[in-house]
Structures are given as C-alpha cells and as structure tokens.
Amino acid sequence: MLKSILELLEGRTPGQRPTDQRAVELATAALLVEVVHAARDVQPAEQEALRSAVHEKFGLDTAQADALLQDAEERMRRATDYYQYTSLINANFTHEQKQQVIELMWRVAYADDVLSAQEQHLIRKIAGLLHVPDGEYIAAKLRAKED
C-alpha cells in the first residue's frame, strides 16, 4: 500500500518502474530488437528468445515485457544510430552487466540456429560501443552458443 502511494506521489502509476530504470530497460530492449531484425527474416524462435531475454534481464511479467518490446520496436524504427541506447547503458550498467547484454544479444541471434553476417556485425559493433573487449565478446558468444 505504501509503495503504491509513493509511486503515485512520484507521478507513476502503481507497478510502473522509475523513469530512468525504464529508459535503461528500453535501451537494452531496443538493441535486442535490432538483433532480431538484423537478418531481415524474423523467426518465431528469435521473437521468443527476445521476450525471454527481457524477462530474464529485468524480471518483467509477460504484459510488461510485451509493452517494453513494442515500445522498443517503435523507437528502433525511428532511430538513426545506436549511441542514444549505448550511452544510457554505459552510464547505468556495470561492466559485467554490459557483458550480459552482449550475451543476451548472442542468445537472440542463435535462437533460430542460423547466425547471419548482419547479426555478427551488429553485435560486434554494439560490443565496441559498450567497451566490451574482444576476449569478453567472444566468451559471451561461446556461452550463448552453449545455451
């Protein structure tokens, strides 16, 4: 009850996450959405991996995850670069959390058992923007492939 009152005082509806947390979640989801669309042939397995990644990373229920992904898809359609997303992640995530984002991107890419050159290029580019060194980028790829 007290939590709901505090949320209302902060200008949020009960259950809604804080604005800065929502922005970071949206930035992460947008990058994951971009992996799904990188190969231009969206597969149901990739969509499910995307939903699972968002649920795992942020602990969202199905409705919250779907709303976040819908918002992320819309924002990625209008985006002109990745900096707006990677800068938020760089400012708010630890190095380990950034590695986890890269691993989640790999999991989404591997979900359909076909790894395209576009997916590889995108994930490599994002790893560079998140300052994830090559060794950690490869380790994340191998962990995702094993899953």
Side-chain angles (χ1 to χ4, degrees), residues 52-111:
S52 176
V54 169
H55 174 72
E56 176 187 324
K57 179 71 179 160
F58 301 116
L60 304 176
D61 64 31
T62 303
Q64 291 172 321
D66 288 344
L68 179 66
L69 291 173
Q70 185 176 26
D71 196 8
E73 293 237 8
E74 179 59 34
R75 289 176 187 257
M76 282 310 298
R77 276 193 279 275
R78 295 188 316 245
T80 57
D81 62 21
Y82 302 120
Y83 180 76
Q84 60 188 314
Y85 305 116
T86 58
S87 63
L88 267 172
I89 292 170
N90 280 326
N92 291 283
F93 279 9
T94 64
H95 187 73
E96 290 76 24
Q97 289 172 313
K98 293 178 201 179
Q99 289 174 355
Q100 186 182 29
V101 170
I102 297 303
E103 186 173 337
L104 290 173
M105 292 177 79
W106 280 118
R107 285 186 192 174
V108 171
Y110 277 123

